[in-house]
Amino acid sequence: MKTFGNTLHSSTDEDLLCVPGICLGFHPTESCVVLGISENYVEFCARADLGWLDEGGVVLAEQVDAAARALESSSFVVLGYTENPGEHRERLVRFASKIKGRVTDVLMAASDRYWFATPSGLTPPEGCAWDPAATALSAEAVFLGIQVARNRADVIAEVRPSGEPAEVEFLTESALEYVAELSQRQRRELMETLLTGGEPLLPVEGAQLAVLVGEPRLAGEVVARLDRESAARLRPRIAYARRMCSDAQASDVLAMLALICWYDNQGAQQAECLEQLEKLAPQHRLLPLLQGLRALAIKPPASFPPF
C-alpha cells in the first residue's frame, strides 16, 4: 500500500488500523478517520473528532465525496479510535452511511482491541486483540524513518503561538524596526539567508522572517517557487517564525504556513493555521482560497523535474 509517497506493505486489519497514524503524522485518539483507497494507493486521509460527527458529519462526508470525484475509482474505509467503542459505534456507522461510494470496512479500535462496527453491534463482541506498536506496518514505518507523534496536540504545537506573549511582542517590535531600515535588496537577501541557512533560527531571526514574509512582494517570491520538496524544507522555518511573532503580525505568516502545510501534506497543522487565521483575520484575502483547498480535498500539484 502506498501512503503519500511511501510504499508500505499492508495485509491485515491490524496493519490497516496503523495507516492513519502514518498519513496524519500522529496516532489518532477519539477520532473518526476516512481513508480513500484507489488501486492499493491511499489517495486521501481525513480525520475528525468522534464527538463532532453528529453536527459535522455531513461536512466531512462532502469533503470525502469531493476528494473521491477526482479519482477514477475508489473505495472507503471508516475507522474509529476510542476507548468507548460501544458509545460511539452507532455514530460511526451512521456517518459511514452518508458517504457516497463503496465503504468496504467500518472498524473501531481501542488501545488493545478492535471490532467490526455494524448497524446491529460490534463484532466479535469480545473484540480482536492488537498491539499498534507490534504490527508489520508499524515496524516497516520505523525502518523507513517515518515518525508518528503521540497525538494531534504534539503535531500542531509547532504552529501554535509562543507561550510568552511579552517576549514575542518585544521580538516583533525589534524585527519591525530592524527591517524598516533595510533596502528592498537587503530585505530579499536577509529573507533568503533566514529561509535557506543551515543553522537553527534565533528567536529574533524568527521574528524578522515573520516580518519579511508579511510583505506581499517577498511572500510572492516564496510562493512562486513552492513545490512539495521545498515545502518540506521551508515549513519548520516558517512555523518557527509564527511562534516568534505577535498575533498582530501573524496573519500573513499563517496564510503562507497554511499553504506550505497543504503542499507538505500536513493536514493537522494546515487546519490549525486556518483556525488561527479565521480568528485573527476573518477577512484575510487568502482565507477563502485556503479554506477551499481543504474543504474540497484538493491535492497539491506534483513536482516536476527541472528542464
Side-chain angles (χ1 to χ4, degrees):
M1 177 176 290
K2 294 183 179 179
T3 59
F4 300 166
N6 295 295
T7 302
L8 301 170
H9 300 89
S10 171
S11 59
T12 67
D13 292 325
E14 292 88 342
D15 286 337
L16 182 63
L17 288 166
C18 291
V19 170
I22 294 169
C23 293
L24 296 169
F26 62 91
H27 295 291
T29 58
E30 300 305 318
S31 299
C32 166
V33 176
V34 182
L35 298 178
I37 301 174
S38 177
E39 296 182 355
N40 212 35
Y41 187 92
V42 178
E43 292 285 354
F44 64 91
C45 175
R47 189 211 71 90
D49 292 343
L50 274 172
W52 179 78
L53 287 183
D54 289 341
E55 62 176 285
V58 172
V59 175
L60 181 59
E62 290 175 349
Q63 182 182 14
V64 171
D65 183 51
R69 284 198 297 269
L71 309 176
E72 292 184 0
S73 62
S74 64
S75 59
F76 306 97
V77 176
V78 179
L79 307 172
Y81 298 85
T82 177
E83 292 304 314
N84 300 291
E87 176 182 341
H88 294 291
R89 188 269 314 168
E90 184 177 353
R91 178 178 289 122
L92 193 71
V93 171
R94 186 167 57 246
F95 165 72
S97 69
K98 297 176 182 177
I99 295 178
K100 300 175 183 177
R102 186 168 65 95
V103 177
T104 59
D105 292 291
V106 182
L107 302 178
M108 300 201 76
S111 57
D112 60 353
R113 309 196 76 75
Y114 71 91
W115 299 260
F116 294 90
T118 71
S120 58
L122 296 172
T123 60
E126 69 280 7
C128 305
W130 83 304
D131 180 353
T135 66
L137 192 73
S138 295
E140 192 171 1
V142 170
F143 178 77
L144 292 174
I146 299 173
Q147 297 183 350
V148 181
R150 293 177 303 169
N151 52 49
R152 184 177 184 272
D154 286 352
V155 171
I156 66 173
E158 188 179 20
V159 299
R160 289 193 53 77
S162 168
E164 301 292 341
E167 179 183 358
V168 297
E169 288 286 352
F170 173 76
L171 290 170
T172 302
E173 288 300 321
S174 299
L176 286 166
E177 293 175 5
Y178 178 75
V179 171
E181 298 296 323
L182 302 179
S183 67
Q184 190 64 29
R185 179 182 61 80
Q186 289 172 322
R187 294 180 188 188
R188 182 177 291 107
E189 290 175 352
L190 176 60
M191 186 182 72
E192 285 297 316
T193 298
L194 297 178
L195 285 176
T196 61
E199 296 296 322
L201 295 174
L202 297 174
V204 68
E205 291 176 327
Q208 290 169 1
L209 181 56
V211 170
L212 291 166
V213 299
E215 296 188 12
R217 182 178 298 180
L218 295 178
E221 292 178 9
V222 176
V223 171
R225 64 192 187 197
L226 273 180
D227 57 24
R228 295 184 181 184
E229 287 72 25
S230 64
R233 294 192 303 270
L234 294 176
R235 183 179 53 80
R237 301 182 87 81
I238 301 296
Y240 186 74
R242 193 283 167 259
R243 298 200 302 277
M244 292 299 108
C245 75
S246 65
D247 285 350
Q249 188 67 34
S251 60
D252 289 332
V253 183
L254 285 166
M256 177 178 288
L257 187 52
L259 184 63
I260 289 173
C261 289
W262 173 68
Y263 267 101
D264 197 26
N265 282 318
Q266 299 293 324
Q269 291 189 352
Q270 179 194 13
E272 174 62 25
C273 290
L274 292 177
E275 289 177 14
Q276 292 183 49
L277 184 58
E278 187 173 15
K279 179 180 178 180
L280 295 175
Q283 302 302 317
H284 195 282
R285 64 194 181 282
L286 294 181
L287 183 58
L289 169 64
L290 296 169
Q291 290 175 325
L293 291 177
R294 181 167 179 80
L296 298 176
I298 297 173
K299 297 175 66 175
S303 300
F304 295 97
F307 291 103

